[in-house]
Amino acid sequence: MANIKDIAKIAGVGTSTVSRVLNNHPYVSEEARQAVLKAIKFTNYQKNINAIHLKLGKTFLIGVVLPFLNHPYFGKLLEGISVEAEKNNYKLLIFQTNYKDLREIEALEMLKEKQIDALIICSKDCKWETIEEYQIYGPIVLCEDTRDRKISSVFVDHYDSFTSALEFLYEKGHRRIGYCVGRMTGTNSTQRELAYRDFLIKHNEPFLKEYIFEGCLFLEDAKRVMDRFTEMKKPPTALLVTSDQVAAGLLNLCNLLHISVPDDLAIIGFDNQPIAEIMNITTFEIPLFEIGQKLFLQAQKKEKIIQEEMAVKLIERNTV
């Protein structure tokens, strides 16, 4: 395999001239440039990317940890990350974890071994202590509230947004309010549950465990929620649904079962995905694309801890 010295010898120039041509530097005569390019073509020379990365101290790879690739919430985050990565000449290495902490640790180990320059964690299962151990090896940025920790993040305050949604329903006359959530663990879910319990205490309403529906991530999960709902003697009159996909599934099932929305059941989704607009679902808009962009940009800041909160907005439509 040819190297820079071989190219220089064939082209009749110095190795520094070859280097300038390879890196598109100015101050090379057109005659010398063409001689070098001709020698490169003749020898089928290929850059040693690993050597270049070693010299620069960068791999130009960013790791992205997310539980699912086929969920619109994470898809929109990834789209924002990808757009910024392309602008900055970075490539992404995706780790789909299915909320298995061993997969997250694989990503953290790659950061430790300098195989990636930074790590973006869109949703985690690992304990905080595990993640904090790896911070010394490179930037780690999370898509959840880290204000009580020394780690960068771009986040939505799910306590505030959930409280706003609950109060909105209360003002509309609802007292039996339940909610659907993807999982009960994790920072975002913990904030939602705390908001829910505080809301009930404030308004002197009972906490009914059966009004919480977990494992609600995809469109098809709505059927399991509706099966339980129709079996209840006193079902909720309103549901907060942390995924527009599940909210859309519920609305469709309500139509099939002749349950009037919003008269018999009010529904509020989250994210403001296209399906919510098409089906006229009241929802909270979360700027996922912009969050993704900011996650990437924070991953470029090696020395500085940044924690940026993103605002959400109520989009009133026909389901409340």
Side-chain angles (χ1 to χ4, degrees), residues 8 21 55 82 106 134 176 237 273:
V21 172
K55 183 179 179 181
S82 298
E106 283 179 25
Y134 285 86
R176 301 199 312 270
T237 63
Q273 296 166 11

Side-chain angles (χ1 to χ4, degrees), residues 5 48 53 61 89 102 137 139 146 234 239 279 288 309:
K5 288 182 179 179
N48 186 333
H53 290 169
L61 280 174
N89 296 314
L102 288 178
Y137 302 115
T146 62
K234 279 193 173 183
L239 283 175
M279 298 185 71
L288 295 171
E309 180 179 351

Side-chain angles (χ1 to χ4, degrees), residues 157-196:
D157 189 324
H158 287 281
Y159 181 94
D160 283 352
S161 62
F162 224 58
T163 299
S164 296
L166 290 163
E167 293 292 353
F168 176 71
L169 289 170
Y170 192 85
E171 289 170 8
K172 294 286 186 179
H174 294 282
R175 300 297 180 265
R176 301 199 312 270
I177 304 171
Y179 74 92
C180 305
V181 68
R183 57 177 185 152
M184 294 303 292
T185 57
T187 302
N188 296 343
S189 296
T190 301
Q191 285 187 345
R192 293 177 185 126
E193 184 179 1
L194 181 59
Y196 184 65

Side-chain angles (χ1 to χ4, degrees), residues 5-282:
K5 288 182 179 179
D6 297 327
I7 300 296
K9 185 176 180 181
I10 293 169
V13 297
T15 54
S16 60
T17 300
V18 175
S19 180
R20 285 197 292 271
V21 172
L22 288 171
N23 292 289
N24 294 315
H25 286 182
Y27 311 118
V28 179
S29 71
E30 187 58 27
E31 183 182 355
R33 184 181 301 279
Q34 290 303 321
V36 170
L37 292 174
K38 186 176 179 181
I40 288 171
K41 186 175 181 180
F42 176 75
T43 59
N44 195 27
Y45 170 80
Q46 301 294 323
K47 284 185 180 181
N48 186 333
I49 298 299
N50 289 333
I52 293 169
H53 290 169
L54 186 63
K55 183 179 179 181
L56 294 173
K58 287 183 177 183
T59 65
F60 291 94
L61 280 174
I62 297 282
V64 181
V65 170
L66 55 145
F68 314 110
L69 286 170
N70 62 339
H71 193 283
Y73 176 95
F74 295 108
K76 202 66 179 177
L77 278 178
L78 186 58
E79 184 183 351
I81 296 168
S82 298
V83 165
E84 285 302 317
E86 184 179 4
K87 287 180 187 176
N88 289 272
N89 296 314
Y90 268 80
K91 292 181 173 61
L92 302 178
L93 187 60
I94 309 299
F95 299 85
Q96 180 176 312
T97 65
N98 298 307
Y99 284 124
K100 294 178 180 176
D101 58 359
L102 288 178
R103 283 288 290 152
E104 293 173 18
I105 290 170
E106 283 179 25
L108 290 164
E109 280 293 313
M110 288 193 71
L111 182 67
K112 179 181 178 180
E113 294 166 2
K114 305 299 181 186
Q115 294 177 280
I116 52 178
D117 295 334
L119 188 63
I120 298 169
I121 302 178
C122 297
S123 189
K124 69 176 180 62
D125 187 61
C126 273
K127 293 180 180 179
W128 279 112
E129 293 75 17
T130 301
I131 291 172
E132 287 168 343
E133 286 176 13
Y134 285 86
Q135 279 187 273
I136 60 172
Y137 302 115
I140 301 174
V141 186
L142 279 88
C143 185
E144 61 184 72
D145 192 345
T146 62
R147 284 176 291 187
D148 59 342
R149 299 190 178 267
K150 292 182 179 180
I151 188 165
S152 291
S153 61
V154 185
F155 65 94
V156 166
D157 189 324
H158 287 281
Y159 181 94
D160 283 352
S161 62
F162 224 58
T163 299
S164 296
L166 290 163
E167 293 292 353
F168 176 71
L169 289 170
Y170 192 85
E171 289 170 8
K172 294 286 186 179
H174 294 282
R175 300 297 180 265
R176 301 199 312 270
I177 304 171
Y179 74 92
C180 305
V181 68
R183 57 177 185 152
M184 294 303 292
T185 57
T187 302
N188 296 343
S189 296
T190 301
Q191 285 187 345
R192 293 177 185 126
E193 184 179 1
L194 181 59
Y196 184 65
R197 288 179 179 273
D198 286 349
F199 166 81
L200 294 175
I201 291 168
K202 175 185 174 181
H203 293 287
N204 199 28
E205 295 291 338
F207 173 81
L208 300 174
K209 192 175 180 180
E210 60 266 31
Y211 280 10
I212 301 176
F213 304 82
E214 59 180 300
C216 301
L217 288 162
F218 299 98
L219 191 74
E220 58 269 25
D221 294 326
K223 186 176 187 309
R224 182 164 34 82
V225 175
M226 188 53 66
D227 288 344
R228 277 180 53 192
F229 178 88
T230 54
E231 290 173 359
M232 292 179 180
K233 291 182 179 179
K234 279 193 173 183
T237 63
L239 283 175
L240 292 183
V241 188
T242 60
S243 165
D244 283 336
Q245 293 285 310
V246 180
L250 285 171
L251 180 57
N252 183 58
L253 290 167
C254 284
N255 292 333
L256 291 173
L257 296 170
H258 306 292
I259 297 170
S260 177
V261 176
D263 297 331
D264 298 329
L265 178 64
I267 299 171
I268 294 182
F270 275 82
D271 301 343
N272 196 28
Q273 296 166 11
I275 197 169
E277 183 177 0
I278 291 167
M279 298 185 71
N280 279 313
I281 297 169
T282 296

